[in-house]
Amino acid sequence: MDKKPNGAAVAAYISAMLGLLVMGTVHTMTGASASFSTWVLSIGKLWIPNAQGIGPYSGKETFLLVAWILSWAVLHMLLRKRDVKLAVPVVVFVVGMALATLFVYTPFIDFILGK
Amino acid sequence: MAEKSTRSIGDPSPIVTVVTWAAVSLFLILVALLTAPVSEFFGGSSLAIIGATHGLLATLGVVVGTVASYLGYRLFTGKIKAFGDLKILAAVSTLIAAATVVFGNWIYIAYRAPGGPRAFFMENNPEIHEVFFEFKEFIALFPIPLAVATTYVIWRYGDQLIENKALRTWVGIAFAVAWAGLMIAYLLGAGITKLRSV
């Protein structure tokens, strides 16, 4: 059996990380601006039932999904036939996941927003 | 030398064993449902069943996710034998994680409602909501894209993963991160529910 290029795997993992990083970034920005938070809620209301009940969280989930799926589609098209060295993508993935985690941790958000 | 079957006529087959076990379990569950005050156990909230379903799915997710992550660790070390099981469990874990979040969204409405747990925490101990619950609600989403990506990679590359040390290392990292998210969300959820439930 022919060895499959690893580009599709890189696309899958990097896009998952990007989706979570975008969600964390949006969450942090809602802490900085009430009007942005209202706009994020309006995005969630576009498709999530009872989005008002769960507030801006609905929009943050939406950003996660959209960033994840869109970036996966783009990266998959770009990388699916390529075999790449994994050291750099793995480091990018790990650092991105660490940042995504910090961006949903309130004491860190308060620190960077100077609260 | 291949293991010779030692089953003789009269021994129960695996199918008979499983069917018997399932029938007896269903009978006992039926007896419990008919005789125990189940509705009292769930509580009086209008979202009691939804909340219980969220909790049961989360528990199931932790169990299945832990077994899948163990197999992911075996893949990481290059010593996996049950690769077929890993493929199935990775897919099942993904579905359970997604279903848990859907039901979590549902009861989150009750959590945020006036007079709900969030209002209680904000009045009595804001850090419970602002630090622990906020973190829990987001970290619970982490396993979904990671589980989907991992399931995709495992199914796409199949047995080739076992020979590809670099890629299986990445799969192992993803399993570890997803499992950590699963456990943190589960433990924080259980702790917060203990303090104030919907």
Side-chain angles (χ1 to χ4, degrees), chain B residues 141-189:
Chain B
L141 297 174
F142 278 47
I144 296 177
L146 294 174
V148 170
T150 298
T151 301
Y152 170 77
V153 169
I154 288 171
W155 281 81
R156 179 180 176 91
Y157 292 92
D159 293 346
Q160 289 183 17
L161 261 184
I162 298 168
E163 306 301 324
N164 188 336
K165 188 176 180 184
L167 189 51
R168 74 169 198 250
T169 298
W170 200 348
V171 172
I173 292 170
F175 263 117
V177 175
W179 185 79
L182 208 60
M183 290 306 297
I184 292 169
Y186 186 75
L187 293 173
L188 287 177

Side-chain angles (χ1 to χ4, degrees), chain A residues 1-2 4-6 8-9 12-13 23 27 50 53-55 57 60-61 68 76 86 89-90 93 101 104 106, chain B residues 105 108-109 112 130 134-135 137-138 141-142 145-146 148-150 152-153 156-157 160 166-167 170-171 173-174 177:
Chain A
M1 190 166 58
D2 290 340
K4 292 176 182 167
N6 62 17
Y13 279 131
M23 178 186 72
H27 176 58
N50 293 318
I54 61 174
Y57 185 64
K60 295 166 193 175
E61 287 179 320
W68 170 31
H76 183 80
L86 292 184
V90 167
F93 172 80
T101 304
V104 296
T106 303
Chain B
N105 268 8
Y108 188 38
I109 295 170
R112 283 172 47 93
E130 292 172 350
E134 290 262 311
F135 189 63
E137 69 177 339
F138 288 105
L141 297 174
F142 278 47
L146 294 174
V148 170
T150 298
Y152 170 77
V153 169
R156 179 180 176 91
Y157 292 92
Q160 289 183 17
L167 189 51
W170 200 348
V171 172
I173 292 170
V177 175

Side-chain angles (χ1 to χ4, degrees), chain A residues 58-80:
Chain A
S58 59
K60 295 166 193 175
E61 287 179 320
T62 307
F63 273 98
L64 161 61
L65 279 173
V66 171
W68 170 31
I69 301 300
L70 275 183
S71 63
W72 193 354
V74 172
L75 288 172
H76 183 80
M77 293 302 291
L78 292 174
L79 299 174
R80 71 187 192 281

Side-chain angles (χ1 to χ4, degrees), chain A residues 97-114:
Chain A
M97 289 302 301
L99 286 173
T101 304
L102 286 173
F103 284 156
V104 296
Y105 182 58
T106 303
F108 180 77
I109 296 169
D110 288 347
F111 172 73
I112 61 173
L113 294 180

Side-chain angles (χ1 to χ4, degrees), chain B residues 51-66 96-97 100-101 107 132-133 135-143 177-195:
Chain B
T53 306
H54 174 64
L56 284 172
L57 283 170
T59 304
L60 189 62
V62 163
V63 172
V64 176
T66 299
I96 296 173
T100 307
V101 166
I107 57 169
F132 295 109
F133 188 86
F135 189 63
K136 173 244 185 296
E137 69 177 339
F138 288 105
I139 206 74
L141 297 174
F142 278 47
V177 175
W179 185 79
L182 208 60
M183 290 306 297
I184 292 169
Y186 186 75
L187 293 173
L188 287 177
I192 291 164
T193 303
K194 182 173 74 72
L195 294 174

